[in-house]
Amino acid sequence: MDMRAARYHGPGKPLSIEKVPVRPLRMGEALVRVKAAGICYTDTHFLTGVLNLGIHPLTLGHEIAGEVADLSAAAQSLRVGDRVLVYYYATCGQCHWCRTDRANLCPQVVAEYGFTADGGYAEFVIVPAANLVKLPGDLDLLEAATLGCSVTTAIHAARTIADLRLGETAVVYGAGGVGFGLIQFCKLAGARVIAVSRSPGKRAKASQLGADAVVDGSGDVGRAVRDLTAGEGAEVVFELVGSKVTMAHAVNALRRRGRLVFIGYSNDLFVANPLQLVIGELTVTASVGNTFDELLQAVALAAARKITPVVDRAVSLEELPATLEALREGKIIGRAVVVFP
Ligand SMILES: [Zn+2]
Ligand SMILES: [Zn+2]
């Protein structure tokens, strides 16, 4: 059997829509008919080479929701037809990190779907059945797909890395898919949220999702945050952009003992005079991916309507390259999602 897939051929080369074979299942694997695959900013990093794992040709796409189409004999926990969301890390399960619920840091990761192994920009994806989360009936697959990276990354960053506390002020610096997840999760956690974006449309969306204040990212963000916090600064800044300018503003926006959490990145270097960190006893930390447990939390929060996935538009596989370009130009509010009929 063949399927259509958007194939990545390395940095600087366009994605191409190709027919590729669907291989037979191995022990414990499931074949998932992809119904929706969220388009993450990380995919633009693959295309530009900002992120280059050296593996191609490859099918990108790590926010994957669909239906179980086939199961190997050993995969008993699911049924054909089940609606599922993919946990995109297949980890070793044996190492220190896997055994201490930090599998996102597993150094012996077997596969990361959409990063090192074929992902969801295709009609089918093959993953271990153990990587599938069964979705509640009332969760739309289009919305569910976006939980796979954007919302669960937000939960990992806010809860596990920043250890965000009730009453703290959090700056969400960059209003993309993860940013919109962060705004909602930080509000649920009892924080005051200041969202930063250069786009008026994204600022309006941030307000709609509950941000207490919004700041225009083209101005002096550090000063604006201080003005909004009686000169103190914020306890936590989530840095979702990672450019030279935003990194400098992010440090300036921190309160004493503040925590700067990197999630976004570019080719720019983080430069700070240690004195600035020393004087305020600032912490610089970072967040990558998520654990299986955090993905379950994301699904539960979405099912309870406490977090709303922000879907800008549904596109066809053929529209994926142009949509990635629109994402890079800041024209997508939240997630665009590739859908398959
Ligand atoms: Zn992602
Ligand atoms: Zn491991």
Side-chain angles (χ1 to χ4, degrees), residues 3-292:
M3 63 174 172
R4 285 182 307 131
R7 301 288 280 172
Y8 167 70
H9 291 279
K13 304 204 175 115
L15 290 183
S16 64
I17 312 298
E18 298 168 19
K19 286 259 185 214
V20 294
V22 180
R23 68 164 173 80
L25 295 184
R26 300 187 192 116
M27 182 96 97
E29 285 182 336
L31 178 69
V32 176
R33 183 187 303 279
V34 179
K35 297 304 255 180
I39 304 175
C40 178
Y41 204 87
T42 303
D43 298 326
T44 71
H45 289 323
F46 273 100
L47 292 172
T48 56
V50 169
L51 178 64
N52 184 1
L53 303 177
I55 298 169
H56 50 78
L58 181 77
T59 303
L60 300 176
H62 56 273
E63 280 193 334
I64 314 162
E67 289 168 3
V68 175
D70 194 12
L71 288 162
S72 74
Q76 296 290 334
S77 56
L78 292 159
R79 295 278 172 271
V80 168
D82 280 349
R83 301 158 74 255
V84 290
L85 180 62
V86 173
Y87 177 61
Y88 65 77
Y89 289 95
T91 53
C92 81
Q94 309 291 320
C95 71
H96 169 72
W97 305 100
C98 283
R99 289 183 172 204
T100 53
D101 197 25
R102 293 174 286 186
N104 61 313
L105 298 177
C106 174
Q108 285 126 240
V109 64
V110 179
E112 273 182 75
Y113 301 98
F115 291 86
T116 66
D118 287 339
Y121 296 149
E123 289 173 286
F124 293 94
V125 66
I126 293 174
V127 298
N131 278 54
L132 296 176
V133 176
K134 230 194 267 194
L135 290 167
D138 56 347
L139 256 192
D140 182 62
L141 286 178
L142 187 76
E143 294 192 326
T146 72
L147 302 171
C149 167
S150 67
V151 173
T152 190
T153 298
I155 293 174
H156 183 72
R159 191 200 63 170
T160 308
I161 301 298
D163 190 20
L164 188 69
R165 298 297 171 94
L166 183 72
E168 290 190 320
T169 297
V171 174
V172 177
Y173 204 143
V178 178
F180 289 138
L182 272 169
I183 290 166
Q184 297 179 79
F185 188 80
C186 293
K187 285 302 292 179
L188 284 174
R192 176 174 179 234
V193 176
I194 301 172
V196 183
S197 176
R198 286 183 302 185
S199 149
K202 291 178 184 175
R203 291 201 296 275
K205 190 72 194 174
S207 298
Q208 196 192 325
L209 293 172
D212 298 280
V214 290
V215 167
D216 183 352
S218 45
D220 184 340
V221 172
R223 158 158 287 192
V225 170
R226 289 189 173 279
D227 287 347
L228 287 164
T229 52
E232 285 285 317
E235 281 86 358
V236 179
V237 175
F238 297 101
E239 228 293 18
L240 295 141
V241 184
S243 75
K244 194 173 164 216
V245 173
T246 63
M247 289 187 278
H249 284 315
V251 173
N252 288 334
L254 283 172
R255 190 179 191 186
R256 286 164 192 245
R257 283 281 173 102
R259 292 99 78 196
L260 173 59
V261 181
F262 278 108
I263 303 167
Y265 49 87
S266 68
N267 279 328
D268 292 352
L269 299 181
F270 175 56
V271 180
N273 185 324
L275 182 62
Q276 192 180 9
L277 306 181
V278 167
I279 285 175
E281 292 192 344
L282 304 181
T283 299
V284 178
T285 182
S287 178
V288 65
N290 56 86
T291 65
F292 197 94

